[in-house]
Structure formats: C-alpha cells, structure tokens
Amino acid sequence: MSELAERLGHPSDAKLVIVSCDDLGSCHAANVGVYRAIRDGVATCASIMVPAPWARHAAAECLPTDDIGVHLTLNAEHELYRWGPVTHAPSLHSGETGFPRNLDDLWEHADADEVYRELKAQIGRAIAWGIDVTHLAPHLTAITLRPEFFGIYVDLAVEFALPIRLPSTVSADQAGFPFRKLAADEGIVFPDHFDHDWRAGSRERVGRTLADLPSGVTEIHIQPAIDSPEVRALTKNADEWIDDLAYATDGTLQSALDAAGATLIGYRELRAAMRAG
C-alpha cells in the first residue's frame, strides 16, 4: 500500500511507474535519443546535466510539455570527454580538467559550500534557460549517500520545492544514516521504489522490476541515445545506450508495462503533490 499513490489521486495499491531518462545534455546523441524516447516512446521524464557540453542544445529543444528535472552533476566520468563546474569551485576540479571521474576522488576534496553554490547555480541556469524544472536527480548519486552532502540535497529540494530521486535498494544501515526518513521529515516527495543500479543497458534490470512490480510509485531509469560516431567515440557503452532507445520505442517496454498493470506518470505529478503539501 502506498500513501504517495493516494496523494497522487490513485488507489493505495495502484502500480505507478515513472520512466526517466538520464544524462540529457551530455551529448547530441543523448539529446536526440532522450526526446525521441519521451515523444515517440514510453519515457515520461528526463533530467538535464547543466554543466555538460550539449546542455544548452537540450534546453533549446525542450517543449513546455516535457517533464524535465536537473541531473545535479559533480562528476565527469568519461576518459576523454570532459566538463566542469559552472561556478568558480576549485575544490570540484580533478587534477586534469573538469570534474573528478569518480565519487571517491570527489569526496576526498569537495568543499560543501562550493557544492551547494554549484548545484544551486545548475538549477538556476536550467530555470533561466526556460525549463520548468520538475525534480532533482543527482548524477552518479554523488550527493545521496554521503551525510555531509545529503543535507545540501535536502536544502535544495526544500528551497526549490522539488521532489527528488532516492534509492530504495540501499538501506539506511548500508548508507550509515536514515536518508529517506530525513527527506520525508522535511516534506520532500520521492518515489517509493528506485533501483540503485547504474550498469549500462536497461532491458534486464527493468524487466526484473516490472515482472514483480510493487504497488506505489516506482521509478525506472534508462539512458537512450541515437547511433552516431559521436556516441561511439564517447563511450564503450554506446550499444547499451542505443538499445535503451529501441527498448523505449519499439513496443517491448510498453508491453512489459501493460503486463505489469502499470500506469505511467511523471515527476510533474510528484511536484504538484509536494507543493500542495
């Protein structure tokens, strides 16, 4: 049973699914793939990486009907494809150029004040670009599972009155602090279920989730991209990203959602519930 489902106007045993696209703005292939997954497929929302090289293009292509959040970004994980802070934030740079590649490097030297200013600026820039921001979702879960950064996540969600993504497959004991309870105590809305699995390729992971879909709000994430020389030069995971677009548009994911008895929603509904109190 789900209190959140009831707040959204559905029965408590309803099976509501958000199909979200990560990494909008990361590259041209992702921009085309994400919007295709939303407009021609079953994806219901996406999150934009404001510091990434193709973010401005993503914002320019955004329609008022698109459900777009901010993918709060503090890492640049690719070997040769780099981006960095939009603010003056020396502690958020790697030793080469741009953001650190991995979370351990980030956590070793990131200054909390600079993290807050940077992430607030990312949200502000998305709004200035004309995006009606619907939610927050950290890239690589960078600020979700560290207490000193999680407070920033909560503060930004409260400040902008936005729902957030939180993993349900990581326990409070594993994280070392009750992150879901802390967010709920501040009145922040987040999906009941989200699988904390960042491996490329979505068919198997999403298929497992939908085969045993629980009641309540479940967020599933995909990373769609079109096939292009750009994306194949950028990552060894290009085939998986390209397949995510096919999965969202070829009817396979729609059939699995139908078989699970799922009702599709987006983060805009969660935002409305949070702002209604």
Side-chain angles (χ1 to χ4, degrees):
M1 302 297 104
S2 169
E3 293 181 7
L4 179 54
E6 291 185 313
R7 288 180 66 182
L8 298 176
H10 297 267
S12 62
D13 62 350
K15 297 179 178 181
L16 309 176
V17 173
I18 299 169
V19 181
S20 61
C21 301
D22 285 343
D23 291 10
L24 178 65
S26 62
C27 61
H28 179 266
N31 290 355
V32 177
V34 166
Y35 285 131
R36 191 171 294 173
I38 291 174
R39 297 166 190 169
D40 300 332
V42 297
T44 59
C45 65
S47 52
I48 184 170
M49 300 174 69
V50 169
W54 280 85
R56 188 65 187 92
H57 174 265
E61 295 296 309
C62 182
L63 300 176
T65 52
D66 292 329
D67 187 333
I68 306 296
V70 174
H71 207 37
L72 300 169
T73 302
L74 296 171
N75 289 97
E77 67 273 25
H78 300 290
E79 182 179 359
L80 300 176
Y81 187 55
R82 314 296 299 145
W83 54 78
V86 301
T87 60
H88 178 67
S91 76
L92 302 183
H93 283 269
S94 65
E96 42 173 342
T97 182
F99 286 124
R101 298 182 191 279
N102 59 66
L103 296 179
D104 288 339
D105 188 8
L106 172 70
W107 291 333
E108 185 176 339
H109 51 76
D111 175 81
D113 289 339
E114 290 186 2
V115 168
Y116 172 76
R117 289 195 300 270
E118 170 65 21
L119 297 182
K120 183 174 180 178
Q122 291 180 19
I123 300 167
R125 182 167 293 186
I127 294 170
W129 284 342
I131 295 175
D132 180 24
V133 176
T134 59
H135 64 285
L136 304 177
H139 182 53
L140 303 183
T141 319
I143 58 171
T144 309
L145 301 177
R146 296 282 289 202
E148 63 269 41
F149 292 160
F150 184 75
I152 295 170
Y153 195 15
V154 168
D155 288 346
L156 291 170
V158 170
E159 184 172 352
F160 289 93
L162 292 172
I164 63 175
R165 168 189 286 174
L166 288 178
S168 59
T169 51
V170 178
S171 69
D173 286 343
Q174 289 171 321
F177 68 107
F179 60 98
R180 291 174 68 88
K181 181 179 185 301
L182 290 172
D185 288 347
E186 294 295 329
I188 299 168
V189 172
F190 48 88
D192 297 306
H193 314 288
F194 178 73
D195 187 355
H196 179 70
D197 183 347
W198 298 115
R199 290 174 294 178
S202 299
R203 287 183 189 259
E204 182 181 351
R205 167 178 46 80
V206 173
R208 288 197 310 269
T209 297
L210 295 179
D212 191 24
L213 186 66
S215 60
V217 178
T218 299
E219 180 182 2
I220 57 178
H221 66 284
I222 59 176
Q223 196 167 343
I226 61 168
D227 193 352
S228 70
E230 174 206 37
V231 75
R232 291 194 175 276
L234 189 158
T235 177
K236 296 177 181 178
N237 296 323
D239 285 335
E240 288 82 0
W241 295 3
I242 294 162
D243 185 64
D244 274 10
L245 176 57
Y247 188 41
T249 57
D250 66 6
T252 307
L253 180 50
Q254 181 66 70
S255 295
L257 290 161
D258 292 342
T263 298
L264 286 173
I265 64 169
Y267 262 102
R268 188 170 274 120
E269 289 92 328
L270 272 66
R271 185 184 66 177
M274 180 172 166
R275 292 181 175 178

